[in-house]
Amino acid sequence: LMAAEARAEDGSEAVRLMTMHASKGLEFDTVFITGCEDGLIPFRRDESGGVEDEEVRLFYVGLTRAKRRLFLCRAFRRKRFGFTELAAPSPF
């Protein structure tokens, strides 16, 4: 793993896949955030509708990692827990 990180930092172009938690303090020219769907990003823990402040802050961290381009992606339909459901866009 360390060798792969060293190769990615030598100036060559590479794709880096990481969680938003792991991206804190880093910047990238282009950032893709997938799963921008209501209840998924920012994550909603229950059906009461409340989103925790920490989840909103974490989404903000992801948004601010991009220096030049930011792509927010979502699925039209998502299969979760064995059921296929329409995926509404995130209100954020």
Side-chain angles (χ1 to χ4, degrees):
L1 182 62
M2 294 301 289
E5 287 179 1
R7 283 193 307 270
E9 292 173 0
D10 70 0
S12 64
E13 293 185 21
V15 174
R16 299 181 83 185
L17 180 65
M18 65 182 62
T19 65
M20 284 190 247
H21 286 96
S23 72
K24 288 182 181 177
L26 302 174
E27 286 188 323
F28 304 94
D29 283 335
T30 304
V31 171
F32 287 84
I33 299 178
T34 62
C36 294
E37 300 153 27
D38 190 23
L40 193 56
I41 293 183
F43 183 66
R44 184 180 311 125
R45 296 194 188 282
D46 56 34
E47 295 300 318
S48 66
V51 175
E52 295 182 21
D53 290 341
E54 179 59 27
E55 292 295 325
V56 174
R57 281 191 290 273
L58 187 59
F59 184 50
Y60 178 78
V61 166
L63 294 174
T64 58
R65 300 306 89 197
K67 289 193 276 187
R68 299 180 70 214
R69 293 177 298 227
L70 173 65
F71 295 89
L72 302 177
C73 308
R74 72 175 184 98
F76 180 72
R77 279 187 299 254
R78 181 170 296 277
K79 189 169 188 171
R80 294 179 66 189
F81 308 112
F83 298 99
T84 301
E85 55 190 31
L86 292 178
S90 174
F92 294 91

